[in-house]
Amino acid sequence: DPRRMRVLSAKRLALLAFALLALLALGAAQGGAELELAEIDDAELDALLSDAEALGLDTGDDVGADAPDEPSGAVELAPETPEEPDELEPAGSVEPDPEPAGAVEPVPEPDPEPEPARKTPEPVPEKKEKPRPVAAAPAPPPAYKNKGPPPTLRVRLGQEPGACTYCKAAAHKLQVALTHAHFDHHDDERSVETARLGKEKLPEDVFLRHMREVCDDEAYWSKVYASYDFDTGGRVLTGAGLDWSTPNDPRAKHTGLDHARDLKAACKKMESEAEHAGLYHVFWEGREAYTGRKWYFQDAFCNARGHACHPATLEGRDEL
């Protein structure tokens, strides 16, 4: 094998160098004489090799002489023999590395809390749809029963055209006008009530706009008020704020008289006598200060003693 021959040649060179070194050391010990490599003959070289073999060194004589010589200095390295792996230690024999000092042990995570048991919703009972009521047929009109003659139309004292009815119509007109003036100035009914309880007067321009010509509207007096004669006897004045509204009765006949002038005169008289202070005073007092009726201006200016609608005045016991 050429590779083996190269290895053996290298061994030979090494043995030769070893022998030369040993010889030089021996000569230096015997006398310090220097030896030259040219003075060593074949016999002495064989003797050195024999000594080397006696020391147990392999001189390579067993290699055939016919092996071709390799050029001097050409040395090939032997192939690396793979190292055998270390024997595996049996399982369980390996000790774990000690933990470094001061290492913090991980805190175990707490077990998750069990979720609360979900309550199963109770089944909602289905609502039974009630049958829709069927509209009943309209009841037939009751059979006409003859109750005799209709009630008699009766005129009471103070309902005829005159001082009492004119006074009531004028008081109604002034109360409505002053109330509208307050609603025109304030935001709502609550604000009006607050101003009334606080006895607050309106700005002068607002008061005059609503109250200055309130009694002069003759068209209003003519349209709203009228007089009727009953076939049972008697005459009544009908209209806003009075006991009678326009009667729908064949026994009541329109007289055709116009009472606008008398009504206007009564309104202006009341406004002049009460003046602004009197009108404000009654408005601030309100219905609670009188009988509680809706038209409390009539209670203040017409129904009080000495006024046109007081019973004593109507019966002629008191003069206006």
Side-chain angles (χ1 to χ4, degrees):
D1 186 10
R3 181 178 295 177
R4 185 176 181 184
M5 294 302 295
R6 286 193 296 270
V7 172
L8 293 177
S9 297
K11 287 183 178 182
R12 285 182 179 180
L13 291 175
L15 290 174
L16 180 59
F18 177 79
L20 289 176
L21 290 174
L23 186 59
L24 289 175
L26 181 61
Q30 291 179 358
E34 294 182 359
L35 295 179
E36 294 181 2
L37 184 59
E39 296 177 359
I40 300 174
D41 54 4
D42 293 336
E44 290 177 347
L45 182 58
D46 291 338
L48 289 174
L49 294 174
S50 298
D51 294 339
E53 289 177 359
L55 293 174
L57 298 175
D58 188 4
T59 58
D61 290 340
D62 54 347
V63 181
D66 55 351
D69 294 337
E70 294 289 335
S72 60
V75 180
E76 273 194 22
L77 299 178
E80 295 180 358
T81 304
E83 297 180 358
E84 296 182 0
D86 297 337
E87 294 183 1
L88 297 175
E89 296 183 2
S93 62
V94 179
E95 296 182 358
D97 296 336
E99 296 183 358
V104 180
E105 296 183 357
V107 179
E109 295 183 359
D111 297 335
E113 296 182 0
E115 295 183 359
R118 296 181 179 178
K119 294 183 179 180
T120 305
E122 298 180 359
V124 180
E126 297 181 358
K127 294 183 179 180
K128 297 182 179 179
E129 295 184 359
K130 296 182 179 180
R132 296 182 178 179
V134 180
Y144 176 75
K145 293 182 180 180
N146 187 3
K147 297 182 180 180
T152 302
L153 296 177
R154 181 180 177 183
V155 179
R156 291 181 296 181
L157 190 62
Q159 294 178 343
E160 71 282 356
C164 180
T165 51
Y166 296 158
C167 181
K168 286 184 176 180
H172 174 270
K173 180 65 173 176
L174 292 174
Q175 180 180 340
V176 170
L178 187 57
T179 303
H180 284 175
H182 279 79
F183 274 97
D184 182 33
H185 179 65
H186 298 286
D187 296 331
D188 50 27
E189 185 176 357
R190 185 174 183 179
S191 301
V192 171
E193 187 66 12
T194 302
R196 187 184 70 82
L197 294 176
K199 298 183 178 181
E200 298 178 10
K201 289 186 177 182
L202 294 170
E204 189 66 16
D205 61 327
V206 177
F207 182 89
L208 293 177
R209 184 168 67 250
H210 287 271
M211 303 299 293
R212 181 170 52 188
E213 299 179 357
V214 64
C215 297
D216 296 331
D217 189 0
E218 291 189 9
Y220 167 80
W221 300 115
S222 298
K223 181 180 180 180
V224 175
Y225 294 92
S227 59
Y228 288 84
D229 286 336
F230 294 157
D231 61 0
T232 56
R235 178 177 290 181
V236 296
L237 184 66
T238 64
L242 301 182
D243 297 339
W244 286 88
S245 58
T246 302
N248 185 17
D249 195 298
R251 295 172 299 170
K253 295 180 180 179
H254 189 269
T255 64
L257 300 176
D258 188 2
H259 303 277
R261 181 179 298 179
D262 296 329
L263 291 167
K264 174 182 175 180
C267 179
K268 291 182 75 69
K269 179 183 178 181
M270 182 180 295
E271 182 184 23
S272 176
E273 291 178 352
E275 298 181 346
H276 295 180
L279 296 176
Y280 272 123
H281 174 73
V282 176
F283 180 79
W284 292 337
E285 290 294 322
R287 70 174 67 183
E288 295 81 5
Y290 303 97
T291 61
R293 293 172 61 247
K294 178 179 181 180
W295 306 120
Y296 58 92
F297 268 44
Q298 294 177 354
D299 292 334
F301 296 112
C302 303
N303 296 336
R305 189 172 185 87
H307 291 77
C309 297
H310 190 271
T313 305
L314 294 173
E315 294 172 359
R317 292 180 282 115
D318 289 340
E319 295 183 0
L320 292 176

